[in-house]
Amino acid sequence: MVKDILDIVAFRNRVINAVSGGKALLALFALPEHVLCAVLGDREKRSAETLFAAVEGDEYPSLTPQCPQAHMFEREIAEQYDIAPLGHPWLKPVRFHRPYRAGAKVFAETGPAVCDFFRVEGAEIHEVAVGPVHAGIIEPGHFRFQCYGENVLHLDIALGFQHRGAERALVSNPKRRIFYMETLAGDTTIGHTLAYCRNIESLGGMQISESAEAARAVALELERLANHAGDLGALAGDIGYLPTMSFCGRLRGDFLNMTALLCGSRFGRGLLRGGGLRRPVTKEIADELLSRLIAAEADLKNAVELLWNTPSVLARFENTGVISAENAVALGLAGPCARACGLGIDARKDFPSGIYLKREFEPAVCATGDVYARAMTRWIECRDSIALIKEILPAAVCGPEPEAKPALAPDSLSVSVEEGWRGEICHIARTDARGQLDFYKVVDPSFRNWPGLALAMRGQQISDFPLCNKSFNLSYCGHDL
């Protein structure tokens, strides 16, 4: 049930004014009953609000010209529910699938990456198409560069090759819901599953023990450590600096093995359930985990600090793929990509839950917005995560708790925000009159950050693309859902 529905003009003004006043547009989407919903986060008040608006007909005035943060969300609305945002400056599909309802026929039926790309005309301008099949073992995506010589003037990114219809499957198949959550983005199992559990616990009125919350935070920070360590090694590999690449490749495995010790799975599957944990965290596990963490901390410090003491590494990292703080705000970037631009935003501070509620948390922030800043932000976050795990691990010892299946509050809506390793993960769950989920929305941070990669490439040499791409390390499947 949706209450307090605004007219579209009032809705549009409220969203634009809120974002220009500093609030975050955490989500903007359409509900099946032809209603738009915006989730606005107030970082100072550490709260979020939802706004609703009815759409008359199959079109509405676009928010994007005054609120660029909305541009990817409005493209998604047009694709999913065939509602046209009039005046959108660059309207095209996001995932290239059939709409969920017949409406304004916004897009012709086509396949992934079959669309108009921005084109630069002129003498000696040439176009370079990369993907969707790549030389490395990565996910499929298409990149279209407009170049003058070696310099990139513009980059268009087309994804959608892995669209699975995950959001609707989450609603239609309750028995597999937790497994869908654990595989929405395979390297963000804890982040997405935790956001889901928060919504179920909120709708079901469940209380979580402090020890279970501590164990959840340990798992979340281990996921951050494994991915950040892997990224730092991969960045070193992209510029041919083999010592850090080799060390960090091994250390990523160490952090994944610590996750396996805690969860029973190197990818974090099998630990989280609504109401608590599925597995026990014994004192023996906690002691062994702490011992391994201390050893890995020393090795990681030695491996990563090689980067900052090597002039050839700094020469490739510094001033490469720069994004200004103003552009980061305009695009609504999230996570380490935003913090590398000087933005002190972090859901653990701004929208805290669990153990983060009782702690003063300072995000890792750098100022230069380049590859160096994105790498350094990851390193600072690694140190912070290790310190936090050491502090809370003794409190994380607890037994398994039987999976709770309480009745969910009927006609209710819940929003959860967690800081995954890539940034803010936002989940929205809604129940019908019977207390059954009838709508679920997922916003992975990659959805907000892909335009940042395109902007970072402007003015760069095309040979810098692998390095810039790795410094963002965005999820294809988390975007495609």
Side-chain angles (χ1 to χ4, degrees), residues 8-327:
I8 192 65
V9 174
F11 173 86
R12 187 175 181 277
N13 290 338
R14 288 272 298 271
V15 173
I16 291 172
N17 291 336
V19 173
S20 63
K23 291 186 178 179
L25 185 60
L26 298 173
L28 174 65
F29 54 93
L31 293 162
E33 53 269 33
H34 226 51
V35 169
L36 298 186
C37 176
V39 180
L40 296 164
D42 188 327
R43 300 186 187 280
E44 292 186 0
K45 296 181 179 177
R46 305 169 92 187
S47 64
E49 65 171 334
T50 52
L51 300 178
F52 300 95
V55 178
E56 300 293 336
D58 292 323
E59 58 191 30
Y60 69 96
S62 170
L63 286 74
T64 299
Q66 286 78 38
C67 180
Q69 288 189 32
H71 90 285
M72 286 288 285
F73 292 120
E74 291 197 309
R75 286 171 55 187
E76 183 185 52
I77 290 169
E79 183 170 56
Q80 290 186 337
Y81 290 96
D82 228 359
I83 301 171
L86 299 180
H88 190 288
W90 191 228
L91 189 62
K92 54 184 178 178
V94 176
R95 305 183 181 97
F96 300 88
H97 62 77
R98 292 179 179 175
Y100 301 155
R101 60 174 285 277
K105 299 186 184 303
V106 179
F107 302 122
E109 187 171 341
T110 181
V114 181
C115 63
D116 291 332
F117 290 93
F118 188 84
R119 194 178 182 89
V120 180
E121 301 289 350
E124 301 184 38
I125 300 295
H126 62 279
E127 187 175 81
V128 179
V130 179
V133 179
H134 300 276
I137 305 173
I138 61 174
E139 299 171 89
H142 181 73
F143 303 88
R144 190 75 64 95
F145 298 87
Q146 305 292 313
C147 299
Y148 178 76
E150 293 294 313
N151 294 323
V152 175
L153 302 177
H154 181 80
L155 167 62
D156 256 354
I157 301 172
L159 305 177
F161 295 89
Q162 298 186 108
H163 177 60
R164 294 153 288 165
E167 291 173 342
R168 295 207 295 178
L170 288 167
V171 173
S172 62
N173 196 341
K175 291 184 178 179
R176 294 199 57 78
R177 197 169 285 154
I178 195 73
F179 305 110
Y180 288 144
M181 287 295 170
E182 291 180 333
T183 53
L184 284 179
D187 53 17
T188 316
T189 297
I190 299 296
H192 276 295
T193 310
L194 184 55
Y196 165 74
C197 289
R198 296 277 185 226
N199 276 335
I200 294 302
E201 289 153 9
S202 173
L203 292 168
M206 289 182 266
Q207 298 296 319
I208 311 305
S209 69
E210 290 190 6
S211 56
E213 290 286 15
R216 288 175 166 192
V218 170
L220 187 65
E221 299 304 326
L222 281 176
E223 188 168 79
R224 195 181 323 279
L225 279 165
N227 284 291
H228 281 0
D231 282 351
L232 289 165
L235 282 167
D238 272 352
I239 58 170
Y241 189 67
L242 301 186
T244 301
M245 183 194 77
S246 302
F247 280 122
C248 284
R250 189 264 291 175
L251 288 165
R252 175 176 180 271
D254 288 352
F255 289 120
L256 290 176
N257 288 338
M258 290 180 221
T259 301
L261 183 65
L262 185 69
C263 305
S265 158
R266 297 178 87 227
F267 297 106
R269 298 170 191 168
L271 177 68
L272 303 182
R273 291 293 182 269
L277 304 177
R278 189 181 181 190
R279 288 169 53 88
V281 181
T282 63
K283 186 175 184 306
E284 290 73 22
I285 288 176
D287 290 345
E288 174 65 18
L289 205 160
L290 182 60
S291 173
R292 293 190 194 183
L293 185 69
I294 291 171
E297 178 184 20
D299 289 348
L300 187 63
K301 182 174 184 291
N302 290 335
V304 175
E305 290 196 342
L306 290 172
L307 293 175
W308 323 130
N309 296 319
T310 305
S312 62
V313 171
L314 297 180
R316 291 292 288 119
F317 281 10
E318 290 176 339
N319 301 312
T320 301
V322 177
I323 295 182
S324 68
E326 292 76 15
N327 283 334

